[in-house]
Amino acid sequence: MKAKKNKQLIQNGITYAMVIGFWAVIQLLTAGGHISSLMKGLLVPLCIYAILAVSLNLTVGILGELSLGHAGFMCVGAFTGAFLTRCMETAIPSVGLRFFLALVAGAAVAGVFGILIGIPVLRLKGDYLAIVTLAFGEIIKNLINVMFIGKDSRGFHFSIKDSLSLGLEEGGVVLVKGAQGITGTPRAATFTIGILLLLLTLVIVLNLINSRTGRAIMAIRDNRIAAESIGINITKYKLMAFSVSAALAGMAGVLYAHSLATLAATSANFGYNKSIMILVFVVLGGLGNIRGSVIAAIVLTALPELLRGLNDYRMLIYAVVLIVMMLFNSSPKAIELRAVVMDKIRHRQSESAAKEA
């Protein structure tokens, strides 16, 4: 048991070291002027998609439920954080403090939505669950697109018609402008903050997986009837995993909102394709493989831009990489080959240790 725990600590340490090493390399390249402006613009999105992939892996890979509403939770967190930041402009002048409060609020509200959606939805299985979570993402996006919220000395005003119907006093401010979204959000998101939030996500998810709660969640995934028969509360643990996943997606949404000057609930930002893209990161990184999700998110986000010079062939290369990664992670022969290679490496390590002893 102790050896297994030490192995988990080593594996977790490798994952953290990989992320910190990536940050250090980027800092050195930036200081030397070797990072293009295009790549600099990709650094924060890399962190955002890595957080989203890790958080979705908790639902899809660890809990074993197919969710297509992750972009919806991201949308909830993004608009909660941006709205809070805009509301507190006069009360809290410090952009950093407002951003921190927005992160907390965005994660909390997205987590609450995860619980509210999860209570009825997690009774469903397979395709039915996927369809309902997909519908949630689309409903949230469309609701935000018809909302107008303003603020004046009398307080907040709400309408689903237009900004004129808010009836604001002179000097009142329209905070949410329907399909135009929220403008004026400070661009407080940086690569370093993104890496810190990614590390926080990894700490939460990896510790949850390796805890008693995580083992209960995986038992539900492997055999629900057997887990229920030994007294595991199915609803409690499924809701816990789903809400934590939603909260982390909301945190990524706040980071996303503060990387843009204007936030709008468009299909490109929070639509069905966004949820599918995050799911692709999880599948190609390996279901239940947290480190793989981080690597897949970074590689597949950066690859199209890195290949932009090969304009005629970049999408072909991107497709080939997707196919190769899928075969490497899912093919029975590839899995068997990896197991053989790992056994040989462990055997050599044990022989070396025996000789040294």
Side-chain angles (χ1 to χ4, degrees):
M1 186 71 181
K2 188 177 180 181
K4 186 178 179 181
K5 191 173 181 181
N6 289 336
K7 183 180 177 182
Q8 288 173 349
L9 289 173
I10 292 169
Q11 292 298 320
N12 294 351
I14 292 171
T15 305
Y16 302 141
M18 180 186 72
V19 174
I20 295 169
F22 174 67
W23 172 83
V25 168
I26 294 296
Q27 294 298 321
L28 289 172
L29 291 174
T30 303
H34 302 297
I35 297 286
S36 65
S37 57
L38 178 65
M39 277 306 298
K40 285 180 182 177
L42 273 178
L43 294 177
V44 174
L46 288 177
C47 298
I48 293 167
Y49 291 129
I51 293 169
L52 289 168
V54 170
S55 60
L56 183 60
N57 209 342
L58 181 59
T59 298
V60 178
I62 307 303
L63 180 60
E65 299 289 357
L66 179 59
S67 171
L68 295 178
H70 220 54
F73 295 119
M74 178 188 175
C75 183
V76 169
F79 276 87
T80 300
F83 181 74
L84 191 67
T85 301
R86 291 280 283 113
C87 287
M88 296 189 300
E89 277 180 345
T90 54
I92 305 176
S94 171
V95 174
L97 180 56
R98 278 189 285 145
F99 182 39
F100 173 75
L101 294 174
L103 285 169
V104 174
V109 173
V112 169
F113 268 83
I115 294 171
L116 295 176
I117 298 300
I119 290 171
V121 162
L122 290 176
R123 298 176 185 274
L124 304 173
K125 297 179 183 178
D127 296 342
Y128 299 103
L129 175 63
I131 291 167
V132 175
T133 51
L134 171 62
F136 159 72
E138 294 299 308
I139 288 168
I140 285 293
K141 178 170 65 70
N142 289 313
L143 279 176
I144 291 173
N145 277 330
V146 299
M147 282 197 328
F148 293 85
I149 302 176
K151 180 185 178 184
D152 59 18
S153 61
R154 294 176 296 170
F156 291 99
H157 301 262
F158 174 82
S159 173
I160 57 172
K161 187 178 178 183
D162 54 39
S163 56
L164 293 175
S165 61
L166 291 172
L168 296 175
E169 296 175 345
E170 188 176 348
V173 179
V174 181
L175 298 173
V176 181
K177 304 174 183 177
Q180 293 180 335
I182 299 177
T183 58
T185 307
R187 302 186 68 173
T190 63
F191 177 57
T192 301
I193 292 173
I195 288 292
L196 290 173
L197 293 177
L198 175 56
L199 287 171
L200 175 63
T201 302
L202 289 170
V203 168
I204 292 170
V205 172
L206 290 174
N207 279 284
L208 178 61
I209 291 171
N210 296 323
S211 68
R212 183 178 178 182
T213 300
R215 290 190 289 274
I217 292 168
M218 287 184 280
I220 295 168
R221 175 197 65 192
D222 295 336
N223 194 319
R224 176 176 177 150
I225 296 172
E228 198 167 12
S229 69
I230 60 172
I232 293 176
N233 190 326
I234 304 292
T235 305
K236 172 188 170 182
Y237 287 109
K238 288 180 80 170
L239 266 180
M240 185 180 296
F242 198 69
S243 59
V244 169
S245 175
L248 293 173
M251 184 177 71
V254 176
L255 188 64
Y256 180 76
H258 287 77
S259 67
L260 304 170
T262 301
L263 178 68
T266 62
S267 296
N269 291 339
F270 306 109
Y272 164 73
N273 287 332
K274 183 74 74 175
S275 291
I276 293 297
M277 184 180 71
I278 301 165
L279 183 62
V280 166
F281 296 155
V282 173
V283 172
L284 294 183
L287 294 177
N289 186 343
I290 303 303
R291 191 189 309 161
S293 294
V294 176
I295 295 171
I298 291 173
V299 170
L300 296 180
T301 302
L303 192 61
E305 300 304 328
L306 293 174
L307 296 173
R308 193 166 288 277
L310 303 170
N311 195 42
D312 295 333
Y313 304 102
R314 68 189 184 96
M315 294 314 294
L316 174 63
I317 297 170
Y318 182 71
V320 169
V321 170
L322 285 177
I323 293 168
V324 170
M325 287 184 69
M326 185 171 288
L327 290 173
F328 181 75
N329 283 306
S330 304
S331 170
K333 289 291 183 182
I335 293 171
E336 184 181 338
L337 180 62
R338 288 208 310 272
V340 171
V341 171
M342 290 305 297
D343 286 340
K344 287 182 178 179
I345 292 171
R346 280 193 287 267
H347 183 66
R348 287 176 182 174
Q349 287 176 344
S350 61
E351 283 183 349
S352 300
K355 287 178 181 178
E356 289 175 2

